[in-house]
Amino acid sequence: MSASGQEERGLQMPIGAVEKETRVSKELLRMWERRYGFPLPDRDESGDRVYSRETVEKLKLIRLLIDRGYRPGRLMNMQLAALRDLQAGSPRQGVPVATSLPVGPGDELVALLQQNDVNGMRRWLSQQLIDHGLRRFVTVSLQHANQAVGAAWQRGELAIHAEHLYTEQVQMMLRQALLQLYPMGQAPRVLVTTMPDEPHQLGMLMAEVMLWLEGCTILAMGTELPLADIAAAAIAHKVDVVALSFSAAYGEQAARQMLNSLAGRLPDGMQIWAGGSGVRPDDGLASSIRIVASLDQIGAVAKAWRTGRSL
């Protein structure tokens, strides 16, 4: 290999390094490659995926813009300069952005993360739970905290490892809360999971807590359950509802296709409840699919289900 070729190869990054630098999982990188044709990697001598620095820079901007509410399908074909303009506040190509949550209290949490104060972060989260109770902790405190942490990362004020630490701590707290909740055993019986290529757990766990608080019977299946297995589990366990969480990175078109495909595999009368920033109401969805716009709407959806069953 020539000196120039070696230099060019040295600028390319393996997929594991790209995952760490961009906060985009290996699974999601491969899914975007299949779905959108980006990022298209080169291959090293062993046949493994490697990515150019320009591709990595574009992925970092896409991840940042998705966290702000932009849809991945509209970002993938944009040039790097256009993405930079969009990130700076001068959007091109009429790319729509979702309305963000109002800024809430979170500066203290971000400061603790910046200082690598793990115990301080845990105390902050525990105090929020004590002060507000589990329901408002999930629907208000965590949503504001998630926004504050995400915004700090976007500004370059928070390292990726600090964000991962925060996410893992919150997930641990939610799992502990679920263990302490008394099993109501009431209908509807809800299977909770995520679709293939959707590894994000936090939104799923937040929804699971809210379903418990509404007295639903929960069958938790973890993340990325294959489509055929979701349907098989739902039928085998005779659930009433399959609840799914989609992050913004999943893409609305892909979510719609997967939801309709799952609906076709489920028996009549079994509903699908889908929520998260990766889905929205759509005329193209099967009649058995309910889009839950926010966590605090789960109670109304559960009540409507019970009312319908009592008619």
Side-chain angles (χ1 to χ4, degrees):
M1 183 182 295
S2 67
S4 61
Q6 290 176 346
E7 181 179 358
E8 180 180 355
R9 176 66 68 187
L11 294 175
Q12 294 180 313
M13 297 176 63
I15 192 169
V18 174
E19 179 181 42
K20 292 178 180 178
E21 183 156 338
T22 64
R23 291 193 313 127
V24 180
S25 69
K26 297 174 185 177
E27 294 79 10
L28 195 54
L29 286 169
R30 296 187 186 103
M31 185 180 74
W32 285 353
E33 180 185 337
R34 295 193 303 270
R35 187 170 296 158
Y36 304 116
F38 178 85
L40 287 176
D42 293 322
R43 299 282 177 168
D44 63 14
E45 290 82 356
S46 301
D48 296 325
R49 288 173 169 83
V50 289
Y51 300 82
S52 69
R53 289 301 315 184
E54 182 177 349
T55 296
V56 173
E57 181 65 22
K58 183 173 176 179
L59 284 167
K60 289 167 71 174
L61 287 168
I62 288 173
R63 175 74 265 182
L64 184 153
L65 290 164
I66 286 172
D67 287 345
R68 291 186 181 179
Y70 290 86
R71 303 300 177 184
R74 301 296 298 274
L75 300 173
M76 296 297 170
N77 294 324
M78 293 179 67
Q79 298 298 314
L80 190 57
L83 290 169
R84 286 172 177 154
D85 285 348
L86 194 60
Q87 186 260 341
S90 304
R92 295 182 180 182
Q93 301 186 19
V95 180
V97 63
T99 303
S100 62
L101 286 167
V103 176
D107 291 342
E108 182 181 359
L109 172 65
V110 170
L112 292 168
L113 288 167
Q114 290 170 331
Q115 296 161 16
N116 299 316
D117 187 348
V118 178
N119 289 331
M121 175 198 63
R122 290 171 176 164
R123 285 193 298 270
W124 188 93
L125 288 167
S126 296
Q127 194 62 51
Q128 290 289 313
L129 179 56
I130 292 168
D131 289 346
H132 301 296
L134 185 56
R135 187 182 297 272
R136 281 187 60 81
F137 177 69
V138 171
T139 60
V140 178
S141 300
L142 281 188
Q143 294 207 59
H144 286 157
N146 292 346
Q147 184 188 45
V149 170
W153 179 85
Q154 290 169 13
R155 296 191 299 266
E157 298 171 0
L158 202 62
I160 293 174
H161 65 79
E163 187 200 31
H164 284 203
L165 178 66
Y166 162 76
T167 300
E168 287 300 315
Q169 182 60 41
V170 172
Q171 289 177 174
M172 287 174 58
M173 290 183 69
L174 294 177
R175 289 191 184 99
Q176 289 170 356
L178 285 166
L179 288 173
Q180 294 169 4
L181 288 172
Y182 184 79
M184 297 294 186
Q186 298 178 12
R189 184 173 173 85
V190 185
L191 186 155
V192 182
T193 187
T194 70
M195 287 286 193
D197 297 318
E198 177 52 274
H200 297 89
Q201 298 183 46
L202 184 52
M204 181 193 72
L205 284 170
M206 291 168 71
E208 188 176 335
V209 170
M210 295 302 296
L211 288 163
W212 269 111
L213 291 173
E214 295 302 330
C216 301
T217 300
I218 304 298
L219 186 67
M221 289 284 180
T223 60
E224 299 187 270
L225 193 63
L227 198 65
D229 290 308
I230 296 176
I235 294 168
H237 291 278
K238 300 179 181 179
V239 303
D240 303 299
V241 176
V242 175
L244 300 160
S245 174
F246 293 90
S247 66
Y250 201 85
E252 290 178 4
Q253 181 178 356
R256 181 170 61 251
Q257 291 172 348
M258 292 294 278
L259 285 168
N260 282 332
S261 180
L262 177 60
R265 296 169 181 249
L266 299 178
D268 292 343
M270 191 178 291
Q271 293 186 3
I272 299 172
W273 297 351
S277 52
V279 290
R280 62 179 178 180
D282 193 300
D283 291 339
L285 291 173
S287 60
S288 60
I289 299 169
R290 306 285 183 270
I291 300 300
V292 185
S294 63
L295 289 167
D296 53 14
Q297 288 188 6
I298 287 177
V301 174
K303 182 179 179 180
W305 185 92
R306 289 170 180 142
T307 300
R309 286 299 186 274
S310 66
L311 295 179

